[in-house]
Amino acid sequence: METQDKIRQANSIAHLIRLIGVLFFIAMAFQIMTWKYAMFGGVACFIIAPFVRRLMVNQ
């Protein structure tokens, strides 16, 4: 039971990071941020999310 809660929490954190990445892309579309910073932030969030999930599950 404890493992399921840990996996569920890790998945929700990873989804939240991915959502922030999507918000970077939306900010770029509406020209709230310059495309360079928004692309960097969005791609970084999508790359970091699985690593954060893996770290949380393994702890």
Side-chain angles (χ1 to χ4, degrees):
M1 191 68 163
E2 183 178 315
T3 314
Q4 286 291 336
D5 291 335
K6 188 185 291 188
I7 292 172
R8 188 173 295 128
Q9 184 181 15
N11 283 335
S12 63
I13 296 295
H15 286 307
L16 180 66
I17 293 172
R18 287 184 190 110
L19 176 66
I20 293 170
V22 169
L23 290 176
F24 273 114
F25 292 131
I26 290 172
M28 178 182 62
F30 288 109
Q31 296 178 351
I32 296 171
M33 295 181 71
T34 61
W35 69 272
K36 294 176 187 177
Y37 297 126
M39 277 298 239
F40 178 77
V43 171
C45 286
F46 276 96
I47 290 173
I48 289 173
F51 294 115
V52 170
R53 181 191 176 279
R54 191 175 310 141
L55 282 173
M56 290 183 69
V57 168
N58 288 336
Q59 286 183 351

